[in-house]
Every structure is written in structure tokens, then in C-alpha cells.
Amino acid sequence: MSQWLPTLITDTPQEGYELAVKLSRMTVKLTQPDAEARDKMRPEYAEDADSLIAVSQVVATHFATVAAANGYWKDR
Amino acid sequence: MSQWLPTLITDTPQEGYELAVKLSRMTVKLTQPDAEARDKMRPEYAEDADSLIAVSQVVATHFATVAAANGYWKDR
Amino acid sequence: MSQWLPTLITDTPQEGYELAVKLSRMTVKLTQPDAEARDKMRPEYAEDADSLIAVSQVVATHFATVAAANGYWKDR
Amino acid sequence: MSQWLPTLITDTPQEGYELAVKLSRMTVKLTQPDAEARDKMRPEYAEDADSLIAVSQVVATHFATVAAANGYWKDR
Amino acid sequence: MSQWLPTLITDTPQEGYELAVKLSRMTVKLTQPDAEARDKMRPEYAEDADSLIAVSQVVATHFATVAAANGYWKDR
Amino acid sequence: MSQWLPTLITDTPQEGYELAVKLSRMTVKLTQPDAEARDKMRPEYAEDADSLIAVSQVVATHFATVAAANGYWKDR
């Protein structure tokens, strides 16, 4: 697999949040490598409130890690 | 996308909580960019106790991050 | 909205726990501001074991934050 | 309400775990103060694997807090 | 109840993981002390993917605590 | 059981993420040691969006631990 996570350090909190989203999605790619199967699931969760809330929970967990890694961007 | 997260630092715990709410909602916007589709889901979760509890869990996770970033506003 | 969260500091662990309960409930108020709609949901979750367990999870997450903010009330 | 949480400090990890169980159950008592209603729910979750796993998750979250409060009982 | 948790310190990360599994299971034993009732539930969750994922979540939470207690076994 | 977790230290964040995936899967192996039973469950969760999101949550929790163990790979 190619390099997709060289560092947890980002310039801004917003980029850190985007990295958290990326970290969340990567598990799905690793667990279900078939892109077609993933595409078939997309409407299933993108239009379901509870699925979207669950995705938000994963992002929140990764964001905590990324924020700690960046010292919470306190000097900004 | 415009800048929506310039900093994790807030003046008060209450503003920190409001930021946690914002951080929770942003994943939904990024995963389901179609505003109409999001509006259709709103009654689905705003009137469902379990969905609201799940949203509260996401907020709690983000609030932990924001609170740590602010040193728990200890000097207040 | 009025001030409802002036500080995370409490005198005792028990008051910290009560604050965690308050922090948990506030998301529901902010997401579903209609008091009548909230009242209608109350029996739905207060008599459902799984909903109550989910509420407990939210409280546990907030309690972790409040406890850290208070240095775990170690000098008590 | 009487004092039920004077401190997070315990002598042993095992007592810390028991405190985490107590912290988990207290939310249910505060949210559903009717003891009879709680008793009616007990078979519902005590014989349901998924409910018991969810309870375990709450305990795990509280145990993390209690363990941190006790410095992980490292000198034991 | 006999002593089952004398310490959180383990020699290796792997033993720490095994302790996390033990910590996860103990809540079920404390909440449902009837061994026969527990045995009846076993097939229910051991053959259900979502239950197993939920168990994994509990273990992950306890492993975080055990790993922190052991300073992440960094000197290994 | 053979040694499968000698250390939490990895060279890169990406290897840390892969270790988090491994840590997530190991609970399933320990709880359901029958490989055939596990294989039967695979399509059940690999094609179900909500199961994949739940797996992502477990990975996120383990990644937090691995990242902390590695000092967030800050010197990279």
C-alpha cells in the first residue's frame, strides 16, 4: 500500500479535522478493499442519520488524537 | 471550503461546549454535502431519543478535546 | 442563551458527576429546543434499558473531562 | 440526595473497578428514579448479551477515569 | 469476591492486552452472576459480528488504560 | 498463544495505524477462536456500512493508544 499517513502534524486545526476524517475512512478501505462494494454502501449510510452520527463519533475520536499530537495548536 | 475552525481556544467553557457541538455537526456536512438530504434527515433524529443520545456522545468526545486544549479553563 | 456553564471546577466528585449529567443533557436541549417534543421522548428512553445505558455512556465521557479538570479531587 | 461519591481514590485496582461499576449504575438511578421501573428493566438487559456489552463499555470508560485518578496504583 | 485484579502492571504489551480482555469480561460476570445465564448468551454474541465488534470496543478502551498504566512498555 | 504483540512502538504513523487494525481484530480471534465461524461472519460485516463504521471506531480507539505510545511520532 502506498504512503498515506506520513505525519499527524498539521498547520491548522481545520487541517487536523480533515486528517481525522481521512483516518476514519481508511479503516473501511482496509476492511473492504473492493471499491465497488464500498460504492454500493454509500447511499446506505450517507442518507441515514444514525450512520452519519456514528461516522461523526469515529471522526471525534481521531480528532482527539490529532489534536493532542499537535499540542492543540495552542500557539495559534 | 472556507475557514470554519481557526482555533480550539475559547474564552469560556460554555463557548467550548458550543464549539464541540459545531465540531460534531461538521462531519455530517462533509459526508453528506447535499443540504436538502440533510434537511430531510433532521426530523428523523431530532425526534428520536436514541439518535439524540448518540449525538450527545459525539459532543462529549469533542468537548473532552476542546476542554483539554483550553487547560480546562482552570484560571476562571 | 443564558450562562449555564461558568466553570468545570466543582467542590466534590459528586458535584462533578452531577455536572457531567448536566453536560450530557444540554446537547439534547440544543439539538431539540422544543420542550414539548423532548417531554414526549422521555418515557421512550427512561423506560428503555438500552437507552439508559447509552445515556450512562455519555455521562461517563463527560465525567472523565470534569474529573481531569478538577485534578481528580486528589487532595480530598 | 445523600453522599455517594466522597472520593475517586481507592486502595486497590479491584476496588477502583467496583467504583467504576457504581459510577455506571448511578446515571440510571438519576435518570429513572423509580425503583420499580428499574427493576422491571433488569431482566431485559441482564439476559441480553448486547446490553451487557454496552454496560461493560460504560464501566470501561469510568475505570479509565478512576485508574488515572489513582495514578494507576503504580506503587502496588 | 476473591482477588482478581491485584495490579494493572504487566510484563509485556501482549499480557496487557490479555488483562484488557479480562477487565472487559468482568462486568458481565458482576452484572449477570448466574453462570448458566451467561453460557446461554455465549452463542448469541460469539457468532454475531456486531456483538464481537462491540466487545472489541470495550477491550480497546480497557487496553488504553492498561497501556497508560504501563507507560506503554516503552523501555521494551 | 504465540507472540503477536512484542511492542507498541512503530517507525511511522501509518505502521501505527496498521497495528491499531491488528489490535482491533485480535479480540474477535480471542472471543471466537473457530476460524470457520469467523469466515462465515465476514460477508455479514464487510458489506454492511454500520458494521464497518463500528470497526472504524475500534480502530480509532486503539490508534489513540498507539499514537500516545509513540509520542505521536512528533520528531518525524
Side-chain angles (χ1 to χ4, degrees), chain F:
Chain F
M1 190 167 209
S2 66
Q3 292 289 104
W4 61 271
L5 185 60
T7 179
L8 296 182
I9 307 306
T10 68
D11 279 342
T12 65
Q14 186 162 332
E15 287 173 33
Y17 192 92
E18 285 155 13
L19 178 56
V21 172
K22 185 180 177 181
L23 285 160
S24 303
R25 291 183 180 162
M26 198 50 77
T27 304
V28 177
K29 278 200 196 162
L30 292 169
T31 309
Q32 178 50 275
D34 179 349
E36 210 180 313
R38 288 200 309 270
D39 286 348
K40 230 162 60 187
M41 281 184 280
R42 206 185 146 72
E44 195 187 317
Y45 73 85
E47 290 165 24
D48 182 83
D50 289 331
S51 299
L52 287 173
I53 297 168
V55 170
S56 306
Q57 183 65 47
V58 183
V59 171
T61 305
H62 278 305
F63 185 63
T65 304
V66 174
N70 285 278
Y72 303 102
W73 304 275
K74 267 184 193 167
D75 48 352
R76 289 187 55 86

Side-chain angles (χ1 to χ4, degrees), chain B residues 9-72:
Chain B
I9 307 307
T10 68
D11 280 342
T12 65
Q14 187 163 330
E15 286 173 33
Y17 192 91
E18 285 156 14
L19 179 56
V21 172
K22 184 180 178 181
L23 285 161
S24 303
R25 291 180 181 165
M26 198 49 77
T27 303
V28 177
K29 278 200 195 163
L30 292 169
T31 310
Q32 178 50 275
D34 179 349
E36 210 179 315
R38 289 201 308 271
D39 286 349
K40 230 161 61 185
M41 280 184 281
R42 207 185 145 74
E44 196 186 317
Y45 74 84
E47 290 165 23
D48 182 83
D50 288 331
S51 298
L52 287 172
I53 297 167
V55 169
S56 307
Q57 182 66 46
V58 183
V59 171
T61 305
H62 278 305
F63 185 63
T65 304
V66 174
N70 284 279
Y72 303 102

Side-chain angles (χ1 to χ4, degrees), chain D residues 5-72:
Chain D
L5 185 59
T7 178
L8 296 181
I9 307 308
T10 68
D11 279 343
T12 64
Q14 186 163 331
E15 287 172 33
Y17 192 92
E18 285 155 14
L19 178 55
V21 172
K22 185 181 177 181
L23 285 161
S24 303
R25 291 180 181 165
M26 198 48 78
T27 304
V28 176
K29 278 200 196 161
L30 292 168
T31 310
Q32 177 50 275
D34 178 349
E36 210 180 313
R38 288 201 308 270
D39 286 349
K40 230 162 59 187
M41 281 184 280
R42 204 183 148 75
E44 195 186 319
Y45 74 83
E47 289 165 26
D48 182 83
D50 289 330
S51 299
L52 287 173
I53 297 168
V55 170
S56 307
Q57 183 65 47
V58 183
V59 171
T61 305
H62 278 304
F63 185 63
T65 304
V66 174
N70 285 279
Y72 303 102

Side-chain angles (χ1 to χ4, degrees), chain E residues 54-69:
Chain E
V55 170
S56 307
Q57 183 66 46
V58 182
V59 171
T61 305
H62 277 304
F63 185 63
T65 304
V66 174

